[in-house]
């Protein structure tokens, strides 16, 4: 690490609050371009605290690399590390002033089945159950080949991360999962900051160049073969050559124009996604004849703070929180899939709800400290005091909590048939409430790939040398993504893209 510091641009990235309205269309790095020593601040829902990172100085840019990776989120960094391990010489271009993308904001965790950590903790799970849960969550519209590869390589991905010092051994429930399967850092904190810090550390240890403020505007072909990219780096446009390009540019949740094109009904919705989630990779691949799938499948998350698009992690429900309406009553199974819970909230006359939980839960879910710091959590020493703060009838809220705590004790939710996340009752004051409603969270559609992460064109043929992984791709999640499956996606298919592209350039 020390060896390369002299050639690195030092950028301090202070991870602050959530991502604003999400209505930004900014797709250009120039808006985010800074002088080489300038301090940069970034947004994150992840409760990861301040993080200082170092990036490669633009003067170190070469004309040619084996593999160009576009986008330094989780998929891009996993691809780079794996490509390097497979003997290639990769480079990463990131258009924002810091690496991380949506991955940095991910707050819940990473799903995986048959892991060593599940086994150690006596959690019975199987790849087939994971497959079935995901298929059910995706309303049976998932690409089954991708899904089979995904579940079968999930435990290996957890081991791969663990071997790099990124240990996700705290396991909980997430919506749509029939067993405890979502893997988080040991202290139960948000996965994003921890994962991104760990991946950047490993990128540096392997001396992989990582350029920020490097906006890739075009993927180039010469004689019908992928030949590299055009990148605007600190405002200067350059053509960089490579035999293989891996596109890991994430989704389009922050591109209002694209959201409205594919889902006019979501116009004006608040978004939880990062500023760089502008769909650039999809557009660049489409320009090369690439096929897209399920572009209208845009996930709306049920627990988003409306004033700033801050996501309240599913971990809070996974650890036992309930949802109540303005009358103080539960109205749905909180652990149903995101599409169904969101629809139930939208049907309420007030179109919002409150997440209700106790102090014991706040201690188990570390993210709550961050939510408190952001001023979105109402607190009452007693349930009655909390009811007054959020203006719901005190007696009703008290009765709702009593009924719920009995359901937890009996392990039977007679009202809404909830079966998971019932390990803890809500009895330890102070009590808390967060007002939430649905917001845009994830774009499940994207470019079509096969299990080797090769991009498929409109004639259903591969585009040799062109690979894609992560949220830029479509198909794995079907019509509804299960919480925890996107982080698994970026590691599993990011690694695969690294391996495959490295193999391709050696041919
Ligand atoms: C608030 C929030 C919480 C979440 N929590 C979870 C969770 O707990 N578990 C889970 O499974 N999923 C979660 N998700 C979803 C998950 O985080 C994302 O789907 C996933 O991290 C996407 O990773 P990625 O590597 O594909 O893209 P990203 O991490 O978004 O990275 C893409 C990168 O590419 C860059 N880029 C874009 N265009 C260009 C270009 N033209 N040139 C160069 N660079 C470019 C972007 O700036 C970005 O840095 C969450 C999402 C959000 C928004």
């Amino acid at each position: 690490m020390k060896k390369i510091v002299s050639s690195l641009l030092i950028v301090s990235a202070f991870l602050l609050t959530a991502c604003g309205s999400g209505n930004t269309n900014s797709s250009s790095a120039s808006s985010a371009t800074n002088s080489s020593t300038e301090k940069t601040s970034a947004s994150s829902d992840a409760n990861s605290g301040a993080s200082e990172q170092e990036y490669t100085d633009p003067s170190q840019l070469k004309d040619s690399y084996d593999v160009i990776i576009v986008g330094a989120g989780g998929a891009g960094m996993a691809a780079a590390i794996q490509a390097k391990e497979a003997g290639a010489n990769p480079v990463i271009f990131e258009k924002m002033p810091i690496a991380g993308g949506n991955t940095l904001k991910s707050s819940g965790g990473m799903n995986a089945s048959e892991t060593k950590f599940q086994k150690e903790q006596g959690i019975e799970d199987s790849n087939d159950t994971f497959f079935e849960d995901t298929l059910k969550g995706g309303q049976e519209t998932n690409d089954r080949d991708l899904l089979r590869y995904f579940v079968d390589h999930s435990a290996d991905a957890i081991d791969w991360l663990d071997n790099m010092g990124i240990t996700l051994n705290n396991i909980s429930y997430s919506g749509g999962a029939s067993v405890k399967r979502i893997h988080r850092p040991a202290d139960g904190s948000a996965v994003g900051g921890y994962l991104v810090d760990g991946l950047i550390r490993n990128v540096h240890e392997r001396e992989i160049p990582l350029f920020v403020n490097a906006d890739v505007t075009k993927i180039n072909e010469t004689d019908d073969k992928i030949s590299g990219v055009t990148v605007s780096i600190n405002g200067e446009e350059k053509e960089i050559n490579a035999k293989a390009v891996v596109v890991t540019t994430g989704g389009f949740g922050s591109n209002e124009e694209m959201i409205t094109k594919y889902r006019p009904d979501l116009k004006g919705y608040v978004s939880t996604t990062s500023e760089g989630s502008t769909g650039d990779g999809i557009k660049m691949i489409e320009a090369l004849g690439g096929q897209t799938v399920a572009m209208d499948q845009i996930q709306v998350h049920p627990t988003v703070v409306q004033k700033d698009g801050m996501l309240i992690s599913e971990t809070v429900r996974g650890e036992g929180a309930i949802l109540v309406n303005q009358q103080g009553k539960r109205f749905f199974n909180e652990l149903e899939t995101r599409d169904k819970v969101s629809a139930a909230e939208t049907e309420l006359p007030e179109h919002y709800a409150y997440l209700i939980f106790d102090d014991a839960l706040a201690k188990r879910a570390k993210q709550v400290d961050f939510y408190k710091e952001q001023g979105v959590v109402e607190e009452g020493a007693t349930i009655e005091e909390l009811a007054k703060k959020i203006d719901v009838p005190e007696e009703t809220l008290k009765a709702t909590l009593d009924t719920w705590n009995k359901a937890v004790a009996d392990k039977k939710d007679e009202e809404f048939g909830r079966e998971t996340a019932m390990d803890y009752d809500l009895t330890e004051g102070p009590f808390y409430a967060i007002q939430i409603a649905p917001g845009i969270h994830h774009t499940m559609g994207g470019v079509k790939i096969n299990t080797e992460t090769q991009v498929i064109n409109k004639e259903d043929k591969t585009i040799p040398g062109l690979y894609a992984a992560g949220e830029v791709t479509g198909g794995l999640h079907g019509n509804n993504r299960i919480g925890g499956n996107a982080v698994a996606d970026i590691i599993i298919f990011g690694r695969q893209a690294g391996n495959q592209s490295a193999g391709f350039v050696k041919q």
Side-chain angles (χ1 to χ4, degrees), residues 48 82 153 156 161 186 212 249 261 345 357 417 443 456 482 504:
S48 58
Q82 195 68 66
H153 291 80
D156 190 43
L161 290 173
V212 293
T249 46
K261 172 177 169 193
E345 289 169 4
F357 52 96
T443 46
I456 307 297
I482 298 282
F504 178 82

Side-chain angles (χ1 to χ4, degrees), residues 71 73-75 94-95 102-103 106-109 215-216 280 442 471 484 486-487:
E94 165 56 50
K95 76 171 175 177
N102 268 351
T103 307
S106 58
S107 49
D215 186 11
V216 173
D280 300 10
H442 187 264
E471 199 173 333
V487 171

Side-chain angles (χ1 to χ4, degrees), residues 27 45 70-76 93-96 98-111 182 191 214-217 248-251 272-278 280-281 284 309 311 313 338 441-442 469-472 481-488 490:
S27 62
D45 283 331
V70 188
F93 291 131
E94 165 56 50
K95 76 171 175 177
M96 300 303 288
I98 61 158
N102 268 351
T103 307
L104 191 57
K105 301 185 112 209
S106 58
S107 49
M110 166 172 165
N111 286 340
I182 191 159
V191 69
D215 186 11
V216 173
T217 52
T248 51
T249 46
T272 65
T273 60
S274 67
E275 203 182 326
S277 300
T278 45
D280 300 10
M284 289 189 283
L311 179 89
S313 170
R338 292 172 176 177
H441 182 53
H442 187 264
E471 199 173 333
V472 69
R481 176 176 70 85
I482 298 282
N485 273 6
V487 171
I490 64 180

Side-chain angles (χ1 to χ4, degrees), residues 181-217:
R181 186 180 291 137
I182 191 159
H183 291 62
R184 309 172 299 175
D187 64 356
S189 60
V191 69
Y194 176 71
L195 177 61
V196 168
D197 279 354
L199 289 172
I200 294 180
R201 189 177 64 242
N202 279 276
V203 162
H204 287 339
E205 279 169 10
R206 287 160 183 77
E207 303 194 6
I208 299 168
L210 165 47
F211 295 94
V212 293
N213 299 313
D215 186 11
V216 173
T217 52

